Amino acid sequence: MASVTRSSWPGKQLIAAAQSGDEPSIAALVSGAHPHVQRFAFALCASSQDAEDAAQEAMIVLFRKIGTLRAAGALASWMFQIVRHECLRRARAISIQQEPITEAVTPSTEDDVLARLEIERVAAAIASLPADQRRVLIMRDVQGMPGRTVAKLLGLSTAAMKSRLHRARAALRADLKIHNVGAPE
């Protein structure tokens, strides 16, 4: 049961105190968010070393820029975006180092920009989901947790978790479809 209590994000009061510059609160926030950020990183990065580095970088950003967080309830989404960006940056750096210098396999700048825009569009769509749906979607589809584990961690029945996941996926699909109007197929 200890993992269930450790699985929740730091509370809004702690986040608010950290946002106002209270150093003990910032330290507590960083240590409380670290396990979650590590899980994000290990789920998103290509290697365990990249995941460790991305998590560390995200913790540094959290420490330095907690005052810029707009809403205390958005901490998980904000940290997910930081980790995602860092993992993508590291993956790009690795692919640049490993790619042979031939124009036939090198993606064009336009393709790279379009891929980045697509990733940002998906991340923004996920961030716009209601918090209960966003949590289920991230835990199940991004982090790859088993359904029963997600349901248990969120205090839901498996059926309720599946229902939220279905609604989240449908909302995400609809949001991405709406924002893709006029795009070439």
Side-chain angles (χ1 to χ4, degrees):
M1 282 297 171
S3 66
V4 173
T5 57
R6 286 180 34 221
S7 69
S8 61
W9 280 85
K12 290 183 180 182
Q13 290 177 334
L14 179 64
I15 295 169
Q19 285 176 303
S20 67
D22 180 52
E23 289 185 23
S25 296
I26 294 171
L29 179 64
V30 168
S31 66
H34 188 258
H36 305 288
V37 170
Q38 272 190 314
R39 275 195 303 277
F40 286 162
F42 277 97
L44 296 174
C45 289
S47 72
S48 60
Q49 182 62 43
D50 284 347
E52 288 291 338
D53 292 345
Q56 184 68 29
E57 187 64 31
M59 293 290 83
I60 291 168
V61 171
L62 174 62
F63 180 79
R64 289 182 179 164
K65 297 189 177 186
I66 185 61
T68 65
L69 180 64
R70 291 186 199 143
L75 178 65
S77 297
W78 187 52
M79 293 308 298
F80 175 76
Q81 289 176 351
I82 292 169
V83 169
R84 178 189 54 79
H85 173 75
E86 189 61 25
C87 289
L88 288 173
R89 188 187 68 75
R90 291 178 179 283
R92 272 189 234 115
I94 289 171
S95 69
I96 289 171
Q97 292 171 355
Q98 294 177 348
E99 278 186 11
I101 305 177
T102 59
E103 290 191 35
V105 274
T106 305
S108 70
T109 304
E110 179 182 346
D111 290 340
D112 187 39
V113 169
L114 290 173
R116 250 185 279 141
L117 288 173
E118 183 66 15
I119 290 167
E120 290 175 8
R121 190 169 71 91
V122 170
I126 290 172
S128 71
L129 290 171
D132 61 334
Q133 292 178 11
R134 184 175 55 245
R135 274 190 294 263
V136 170
L137 183 83
I138 288 173
M139 292 172 84
R140 188 74 178 97
D141 290 350
V142 176
Q143 294 177 336
M145 292 180 167
R148 288 183 182 165
T149 303
V150 172
K152 185 177 177 182
L153 289 172
L154 294 176
L156 301 169
S157 68
T158 303
M161 183 280 305
K162 286 181 178 180
S163 177
R164 284 187 188 177
L165 181 60
H166 174 75
R167 286 193 307 268
R169 287 173 176 167
L172 186 62
R173 216 176 355 260
D175 189 25
L176 292 174
K177 188 175 182 179
I178 288 171
H179 290 96
N180 204 25
V181 173
E185 302 253 342

